[in-house]
Amino acid sequence: MSGSKPDILWSPHHPDRYVICDSELGLYRIGPVGSAETKAGTLPLSEETAATLLAINSDTPYMKCVAWYPKHEPECLLAVGQANGRVVLTSLGQSHNSTCKELVGKEFVPKHARQCNTLAWNPVDSNLLAAGLDKHRADFSVLIWDISSKFAPETSVAAEKIRLPSVDLDSSTVVTKPLYELGQNDACLSLCWLLRDPKLLLAGMHRNLAIFDLRNTSQKTFVNTKAIQGVTVDPHFHDRVASFFEGQVAIWDLRKFEKPVLTLTEQPKPLTKVAWCPTRTGLLATLTRDSNIIRLYDMQHTPTPIGDETEPTIIERSVQPCESQIGSFAWHPSSQNRMVVVSAANRVMTDFTVFERISLAWSSTTSLMWACGRHLYDCVEDSAEGIESMIEKDIATKMRQRAQSRYGHDTVQVWRNHLLAGGNDPQLKSLWCDLFYMKQCAEDMELKLQGNKQSVVYSGIKNIVKTSSGTTESRRCWTGSDRQTDVPRYHSEERCLALRLCGWISRGPDIDVETFLRSLEQEQEWERAAAVALFNLDIRRAIQILNKGATAEKGDLNLNVVAMALSGYTDEKSSLWREMCSSLRLQLKNPYLCIMFAFLTSEPGAYDGVLYESSVAVRDRVAFACMFLSDAQLPRYIDKLTNEMKEVGNLEGILLTGLTKDGVDLMESYVDRTGDVQTASFCMLKGSPGDVLKDPRVQCWIENYRNLLDAWRFWHKRAEFDIHRGKLDPSSKPLAQVFVSCNFCGKSISYSCSAMPHQGRGFSQYGVSGSPTKSKVTSCPGCRKPLPRCALCLMNMGTPVSNCPGTGKSDEKVDLTRENKLAQFNNWFTWCHNCRHGGHAGHMLSWFRDHTECPVSACTCKCMQLDTTGNLVPSDSS
């Protein structure tokens, strides 16, 4: 505008048109770059949009303010406030109907000339145009003009026509008498109509904010404040208003108009414009003088005038639409978070979209949800078979599925836990088989009779072989042949124990692998079985296994060729057979076939081709080492292999480390690599000594797994895990946390609570298990005062529940099964911490299934809703 910075007005009807107001009016149309609407010579606004100049209006000099007519017809009618106080209706030549022609050029002239500061069209009664002028001692500063009652859409203002000038509007374009005159002897700097009532006008006067009611113009509601500029109503919350003074913005609630509900952080420079976003709730944009940034205030909660200190939560951020100083900006009326800014110097315009803050929420069930603007996105793990085959499931999903299958809880057939985990992870299979063999050896009566052998079993093969003594060396013949081998084998009690832990031999003094071979044949692991047979110097059995594997269903016919090659074995050092096998064995794809020929072609004591074949199971390499390495070689190899397993976190290494400090180090590497705190928790509980269980890392895994179960709402499974943990680690049993005490004497209701240490015990000690053989505690054992009554059955607490789901009849025989023990919860004392009313737990649960308020008459407490988890249903309830 003349001598001032430009301003922008979006068309209320056309989402692609806006007006730039400076020394002249310029109408622009915005469109995508390269479209038919954006011709050559257009102004680029962004990478995607450009603006085309449609019309220019230079007929109204000395412009101070502009307002766009809010209704569809006339289409491009604008009111222009001038420096002398006149308000002129003009158009940009876009409409040629009779209504527009009659209105264009009409002038509204005040009695005394002074500057027009602001204009505001009534959004409902669009014939009413409010103008705010500077102060004059003999005149009003707020004038409301009726542009033409003839074209008013409503007829409710017919009674007001008597105030219109008597001149014929058709013959004269000058109107000198306003419909309403308000704000005498004061100045008006800003105006806006209140959206909640079209008869209310909010004006920023010289010293106050005033609300004028057109139905009673003699009275006004006002509040003294300096923040009188730029008053604007939140389009999404009609009682919220923003205004500013110099560098400070005040947020008002019209329902409590005594003082601002919020004052925003003061800016170092004076503000020039504030505007609520029309497409986003509670988003306020502010612009300061000589600045190239727009500051945004996100009101997170609608303010409510409940208390004096109530304030909405706001998040402040800044955006920079362009590099140059911004003259003005305008929100797009319909495109979300979109605005056009114009520079202060040379009318450079920029189309800019304010990107929403993205808030993420990641559920414990691996669902990812994020909100951006009006959109809410939910990303869940795809369960399609094709996707699953390509992308491995997240460990949290795996642990959740395993928890549902009671993974880790099988304490008898421990090896079955790997089947509960899906049975497709070789490391888990190796781990649970190791723990199973450890459990077997620990339960062996022969070992138990030898004192500390049970703890030795869980210390791992690394510690077992270090204590090896009395090792004997022998040279056996090939089974089924009288030919002596030159391969020495080593025997000792500790080596036999290691072979048992590897699963190669079963209980007994003799090394008999036939049972192990049959189990491998049953699992169709032909190559592994043949290798084990060969390492036990039974080459004929190895050939038999290979032939059987070749003829089995889905067998590999190439095994016959391997058997034929094996049958030609000779121990001559320079034989062609040995030379060819040494050079060609590496071409075999199966690692067990490869190590068979490596064994046959190796020098005694030099078995690197077998011991360092990483594709072979650790248990098989360790068993081989225990049979063929000397006392000097064996510990060195076991130490080296243990360090490798610990470094990579390979669960097969638990066989070597046992459940010791080394085992915790290995498990730490595994958890760091996979995040599987579930397996780590169950593994460490299976046989670790007390000092290992007290390791902070172990406690951290256990607590994290418990928290995971709680987050998944697997509360029953978390309770089962706690019970399982308490059996394996008695020191983990928690102390009792809640005691029922008498209201009168304060003593515990339990008979024996003072005589026994505080341990977690069931409520059967209170005589409330429902059995007629138990004494009923209906009064305090200390002072004999009666216990409180149940709010529903009106019986004293301590009386067994009879008519409650999950409890049997009182005359039934007591059956201490798990189900009946759990059902005793129905008899527990339950009360609300807010209103102190309560009763039997079973009765309370039944009541709150159908009600929200307390069962006590005249009590309106919503007891169950006070607990955030009160209405949650366990995910594992089925």
Side-chain angles (χ1 to χ4, degrees):
M1 301 172 195
S2 148
S4 63
K5 295 179 181 179
D7 199 3
I8 307 176
L9 294 177
W10 276 99
S11 169
H13 324 297
H14 299 283
D16 60 344
R17 297 184 185 183
Y18 61 90
V19 164
I20 296 292
C21 314
D22 198 347
S23 58
E24 59 187 10
L25 299 176
L27 178 64
Y28 292 86
R29 179 171 59 200
I30 189 171
V33 174
S35 66
E37 297 180 354
T38 56
K39 304 174 184 178
T42 56
L43 303 174
L45 302 185
S46 67
E47 294 181 358
E48 295 84 16
T49 58
T52 304
L53 180 61
L54 299 180
I56 295 178
N57 187 328
S58 305
D59 298 336
T60 51
Y62 310 112
M63 287 188 294
K64 290 299 179 182
C65 52
V66 181
W68 200 313
Y69 186 73
K71 295 298 178 71
H72 285 276
E73 290 293 339
E75 188 179 31
C76 285
L77 183 66
L78 295 109
V80 178
Q82 297 179 314
N84 57 6
R86 290 177 174 242
V87 178
V88 180
L89 298 185
T90 186
S91 175
L92 287 162
Q94 298 298 308
S95 180
H96 302 286
N97 59 31
S98 58
T99 305
C100 185
K101 289 180 179 180
E102 292 175 355
L103 292 176
V104 170
K106 183 170 289 188
E107 296 186 12
F108 303 91
V109 183
K111 294 178 183 178
H112 301 90
R114 71 268 197 202
Q115 180 172 297
C116 180
N117 297 316
T118 179
L119 293 173
W121 292 95
N122 191 304
V124 177
D125 188 356
S126 57
N127 284 335
L128 299 183
L129 175 63
L133 295 89
D134 276 347
K135 177 181 177 181
H136 192 279
R137 59 184 180 182
D139 202 355
F140 296 90
S141 61
V142 179
L143 305 180
I144 301 178
W145 306 93
D146 187 339
I147 61 170
S148 176
S149 60
K150 184 185 303 183
F151 301 112
E154 297 88 359
T155 59
S156 59
V157 295
E160 308 288 345
K161 294 180 182 178
I162 57 173
R163 300 196 58 187
L164 291 175
S166 58
V167 295
D168 186 3
L169 292 177
D170 293 334
S171 60
S172 176
T173 59
V174 177
V175 179
T176 58
K177 186 158 183 66
L179 187 62
Y180 297 99
E181 294 176 320
L182 308 168
Q184 189 173 15
N185 197 25
D186 207 343
C188 177
L189 299 179
S190 58
L191 285 173
C192 71
W193 294 91
L194 298 186
L195 300 177
R196 67 179 185 181
D197 189 338
K199 295 294 184 182
L200 298 179
L201 179 67
L202 177 62
M205 308 304 286
H206 182 56
R207 300 182 186 88
N208 56 66
L209 285 179
I211 300 177
F212 298 100
D213 191 341
L214 302 189
R215 292 161 295 199
N216 186 3
T217 57
S218 61
Q219 295 182 357
K220 67 176 181 179
T221 302
F222 68 94
V223 57
N224 292 325
T225 178
K226 291 183 178 180
I228 56 174
Q229 295 176 315
V231 291
T232 175
V233 181
D234 187 347
H236 297 281
F237 180 56
H238 298 169
D239 286 315
R240 183 160 53 189
V241 174
S243 63
F244 68 88
F245 170 71
E246 293 188 351
Q248 199 165 53
V249 178
I251 307 296
W252 305 84
D253 191 324
L254 299 181
R255 299 169 298 180
K256 186 181 179 183
F257 203 40
E258 294 82 11
K259 65 178 182 178
V261 294
L262 180 65
T263 302
L264 303 183
T265 307
E266 186 171 359
Q267 302 302 316
K269 293 183 179 180
L271 292 161
T272 59
K273 187 171 184 177
V274 299
W276 295 99
C277 178
T279 59
R280 169 73 155 73
T281 304
L283 184 62
L284 181 69
T286 66
L287 175 65
T288 57
R289 188 175 61 194
D290 302 331
S291 173
N292 63 346
I293 65 170
I294 294 176
R295 198 170 300 275
L296 303 176
Y297 298 90
D298 190 357
M299 314 285 175
Q300 294 293 296
H301 303 289
T302 301
T304 53
I306 297 175
D308 290 339
E309 304 303 322
T310 302
E311 288 188 358
T313 303
I314 64 170
I315 296 178
E316 182 179 344
R317 55 188 288 221
S318 298
V319 294
Q320 184 176 352
C322 59
E323 296 294 333
S324 58
Q325 292 182 3
I326 299 173
S328 184
F329 70 92
W331 291 105
H332 194 283
S334 57
S335 294
Q336 186 174 359
N337 290 11
R338 181 181 175 189
M339 64 169 63
V340 168
V341 300
V342 59
S343 64
N346 49 8
R347 273 200 182 187
V348 176
M349 295 170 286
T350 305
D351 186 4
F352 180 73
T353 299
V354 178
F355 289 100
E356 286 283 359
R357 295 173 299 103
I358 297 178
S359 56
L360 288 173
W362 201 346
S363 78
S364 57
T365 56
T366 70
S367 294
L368 182 64
M369 184 170 288
W370 65 94
C372 182
R374 297 178 181 176
H375 302 286
L376 191 63
Y377 301 91
D378 188 13
C379 178
V380 296
E381 195 168 1
D382 199 324
S383 59
E385 295 182 0
I387 300 296
E388 280 188 355
S389 61
M390 293 185 292
I391 303 175
E392 187 178 3
K393 288 183 178 179
D394 183 76
I395 187 60
T397 303
K398 290 181 180 179
M399 288 193 291
R400 192 169 187 270
Q401 292 174 348
R402 292 170 186 171
Q404 289 175 315
S405 62
R406 302 193 75 250
Y407 168 72
H409 285 280
D410 196 330
T411 56
V412 180
Q413 298 293 331
V414 179
W415 62 272
R416 284 180 50 82
N417 285 303
H418 92 89
L419 298 177
L420 299 176
N424 53 4
D425 190 327
Q427 286 200 36
L428 289 184
K429 180 178 180 180
S430 174
L431 170 68
W432 290 109
C433 287
D434 291 341
L435 295 176
F436 174 69
Y437 294 136
M438 290 179 184
K439 177 175 178 291
Q440 269 192 332
C441 294
E443 291 176 349
D444 194 325
M445 292 302 296
E446 294 178 4
L447 293 178
K448 286 187 177 181
L449 294 175
Q450 297 178 23
N452 63 346
K453 287 291 185 181
Q454 185 174 1
S455 60
V456 170
V457 169
Y458 287 103
S459 66
I461 290 179
K462 175 184 175 180
N463 293 315
I464 291 174
V465 297
K466 284 182 179 179
T467 61
S468 179
S469 59
T471 303
T472 59
E473 180 182 342
S474 66
R475 295 177 182 269
R476 284 180 49 192
C477 298
W478 288 99
T479 302
S481 171
D482 296 333
R483 187 171 57 182
Q484 184 81 15
T485 67
D486 59 349
V487 180
R489 291 184 58 175
Y490 299 91
H491 303 271
S492 70
E493 183 181 346
E494 288 76 16
R495 289 175 185 249
C496 287
L497 177 59
L499 289 176
R500 286 194 62 187
L501 292 176
C502 291
W504 275 33
I505 63 175
S506 55
R507 175 181 167 185
D510 299 328
I511 300 178
D512 183 13
V513 296
E514 186 59 32
T515 304
F516 183 49
L517 293 178
R518 291 199 190 97
S519 65
L520 293 178
E521 288 179 325
Q522 188 173 359
E523 296 175 6
Q524 297 189 349
E525 296 185 39
W526 310 108
E527 297 87 351
R528 185 183 178 193
V532 173
L534 182 65
F535 297 155
N536 283 274
L537 306 181
D538 194 345
I539 195 169
R540 188 176 296 277
R541 182 77 171 94
I543 294 173
Q544 177 188 349
I545 292 172
L546 291 174
N547 289 330
K548 188 176 180 181
T551 57
E553 185 180 359
K554 297 182 180 180
D556 186 0
L557 294 177
N558 292 328
L559 294 181
N560 279 327
V561 179
V562 177
M564 183 168 57
L566 200 61
S567 62
Y569 165 72
T570 175
D571 55 0
E572 294 182 12
K573 297 285 189 290
S574 59
S575 66
L576 180 63
W577 184 93
R578 182 181 291 263
E579 181 182 345
M580 294 304 297
C581 287
S582 297
S583 60
L584 298 178
R585 69 179 181 85
L586 295 178
Q587 299 181 14
L588 296 171
K589 294 182 179 180
N590 189 283
Y592 283 97
L593 298 180
C594 185
I595 64 173
M596 287 169 62
F597 290 101
F599 171 64
L600 294 175
T601 56
S602 298
E603 295 296 327
Y607 301 111
D608 289 358
V610 179
L611 297 174
Y612 295 103
E613 177 58 62
S614 59
S615 300
V616 174
V618 171
R619 67 177 64 255
D620 295 331
R621 287 187 276 164
V622 171
F624 178 89
C626 289
M627 290 197 298
F628 295 105
L629 294 186
S630 64
D631 283 349
Q633 293 175 305
L634 183 59
R636 288 201 301 268
Y637 172 72
I638 295 296
D639 285 346
K640 184 176 181 180
L641 186 59
T642 301
N643 291 333
E644 289 179 5
M645 296 294 105
K646 287 167 58 177
E647 185 175 349
V648 299
N650 191 331
L651 291 182
E652 293 182 85
I654 291 293
L655 174 69
L656 305 173
T657 64
L659 303 181
T660 60
K661 290 289 185 183
D662 282 340
V664 176
D665 294 338
L666 186 150
M667 193 61 72
E668 182 180 26
S669 298
Y670 170 76
V671 173
D672 290 344
R673 179 170 57 86
T674 65
D676 186 5
V677 294
Q678 182 184 46
T679 298
S681 301
F682 280 110
C683 174
M684 289 296 117
L685 286 172
K686 290 303 179 185
S688 301
D691 59 330
V692 174
L693 286 175
K694 292 177 182 177
D695 189 294
R697 293 170 292 179
V698 177
Q699 293 298 316
C700 178
W701 299 332
I702 292 174
E703 290 305 315
N704 274 285
Y705 181 55
R706 295 178 72 249
N707 293 337
L708 267 178
L709 292 175
D710 284 337
W712 292 330
R713 288 160 49 190
F714 285 0
W715 297 314
H716 297 162
K717 288 183 170 48
R718 199 260 301 152
E720 290 178 1
F721 175 75
D722 288 342
I723 295 171
H724 177 80
R725 177 188 179 190
K727 291 178 180 178
L728 300 175
D729 179 21
S731 64
S732 67
K733 289 185 177 180
L735 299 176
Q737 297 171 317
V738 177
F739 301 96
V740 179
S741 61
C742 177
N743 283 330
F744 298 96
C745 66
K747 294 181 180 178
S748 173
I749 295 175
S750 169
Y751 287 115
S752 53
C753 189
S754 59
M756 295 184 65
H758 289 167
Q759 296 179 351
R761 295 152 56 205
F763 271 74
S764 58
Q765 61 184 326
Y766 301 144
V768 294
S769 65
S771 169
T773 61
K774 299 283 185 180
S775 59
K776 299 177 182 179
V777 181
T778 58
S779 60
C780 173
C783 63
R784 299 301 176 183
K785 295 285 187 179
L787 297 181
R789 295 180 182 270
C790 173
L792 288 167
C793 68
L794 302 182
M795 301 291 289
N796 289 96
M797 297 301 296
T799 306
V801 177
S802 57
N803 298 320
C804 188
T807 57
K809 296 180 180 179
S810 59
D811 57 350
E812 288 180 351
K813 184 178 180 181
V814 177
D815 180 15
L816 296 179
T817 61
R818 175 176 172 271
E819 287 75 13
N820 281 355
K821 287 181 180 178
L822 292 178
Q824 294 176 13
F825 174 74
N826 292 314
N827 300 313
W828 283 19
F829 291 34
T830 311
W831 63 93
C832 171
H833 284 214
N834 185 44
C835 65
R836 303 298 178 181
H837 299 141
H840 296 110
H843 289 163
M844 293 294 106
L845 287 174
S846 299
W847 171 265
F848 285 112
R849 287 192 191 103
D850 303 317
H851 305 81
T852 58
E853 290 191 353
C854 177
V856 176
S857 301
C859 180
T860 59
C861 177
K862 298 186 183 296
C863 307
M864 190 63 79
Q865 294 183 2
L866 298 177
D867 189 354
T868 56
T869 61
N871 296 320
L872 294 178
V873 179
S875 296
D876 57 348
S877 57
S878 57

